[in-house]
Amino acid sequence: MAASLHLVAGKATDSVTHGFLPAAARLGLDVTLLTDRPAAAHGFDGPVVECGVSDFREIIAAVEAGAAGGDGPAAVFSNSDFLQAPAALAAAYFGLPAKDWRAATRAKNKGLMRRHLAPVDPVFSADARRVPENAPYPLVVKPREGVASEDVFLVQDAAELAARVKEIAARRDDPLVAEQYLPGRLHTLETLGDGREIRVLGSFLTTVSPPPFFVEERLEWAEPPPETPQVLRQLEALGIGFGACHTEFVVHEGRAHIIEVNYRLIGDHCDFLLADLLGVPLFEQILKVHLGEPLADWQVPGRRHAVAEPVIADRSGKLTAAPGPLQMEDGPVRLSYRPQREVGDTVTVTRTNRDYLGTVRAIGPSADQVDAALARFRAAHDWTIA
């Protein structure tokens, strides 16, 4: 009998639809999808169970009901930012390999993360509605448990902070934090752990939009910087070391400061780029870890250059023209494009990563060749918003 994977998900994502579900099929797993949005699972032909996935008790009850009279689950897994802690608690209930639910909670809650990191990396952080007068402006105000650079702003003084808090509160009612602005070069660190070791998969240099916004405009494959051991020590302090993790950090004057930790695989189609670069079945490797298998050895590929570059909406309106999914070669450069918006969609510019129309991924021998191929690709295709 095939091993049973219970995959916990909210909204449909390409990472799950085109990454983890096909990987589970290749591994021969019996997949049950647990979701609070069953209508979004129309492309999945396995069992779909509707439940309150943000509550670990609901996940446990759904798994128990599905396992009645049969073998228990082999893994409970989620790739959602918001569902790491409940999925981890449910997996622990069944005695399965899992992330530490406390580490998952610290990673998601930016206030808890800062307080827990304070002994090794003190960075000012406060409730955005209770910032002391002597706060070290400029500050970054953001949702305490936000994603995709939504409602993240640089503020220069108390008056601007108050105005941004009022503006954000008109759209959402969740808690906000105000953190010390950390200058420096923005990097990511991609890691995968099996409970025995944590392996650095690689790193991207990230280009973001000019202040006061923080939209990610380009991710470029790079060697992990020399300050990477500092980041690993900070992750260890948070209790992070199992499964996939995507960490954003800045390096300034020899110091590395974590900006945020997404305790799951990198998103926005960089997960597919990472898998292509490593030349390994990355999605399968992650699922195998949650099935209790150790990390496999793999050959480090030769030096290559890679870029993930989103196409970003520059105005609001209806998307009337855009390419569909593409894979092509431009000389020695391999290009892939996957849309994040479909023709006919209404686009509202938000100055966040939600403005992505699609992402171009390119892998080639050198930076010059990759950049030239990217430029040719973008010049040859139209994205029209009317």
Side-chain angles (χ1 to χ4, degrees), residues 301-321:
R303 185 173 181 83
R304 290 182 291 171
H305 194 74
V307 170
E309 193 171 88
V311 179
I312 303 173
D314 59 359
R315 64 177 68 88
S316 299
K318 179 179 282 190
L319 185 62
T320 59

Side-chain angles (χ1 to χ4, degrees), residues 97-99 189-202 232 235-236 239-245 263 285-286 288-290 292-300:
K99 296 172 180 176
L189 191 68
E190 313 307 325
T191 56
L192 178 59
D194 61 4
R196 307 166 184 83
E197 67 165 306
I198 183 168
R199 186 175 301 173
V200 173
L201 303 179
L232 292 173
L235 291 176
E236 183 180 14
I240 287 169
F242 184 84
C245 188
Y263 206 177
Q285 289 289 325
I286 294 168
K288 284 181 177 181
V289 163
H290 285 264
E293 297 187 26
L295 284 174
D297 291 328
W298 60 70
Q299 189 73 28
V300 177

Side-chain angles (χ1 to χ4, degrees), residues 215-216 268 310-312 340-341 353-359:
V215 183
E216 295 176 358
D268 291 322
V311 179
I312 303 173
Q340 282 147 283
R341 295 297 190 98
N353 293 5
R354 304 296 186 201
D355 297 343
Y356 292 176
L357 302 178
T359 302

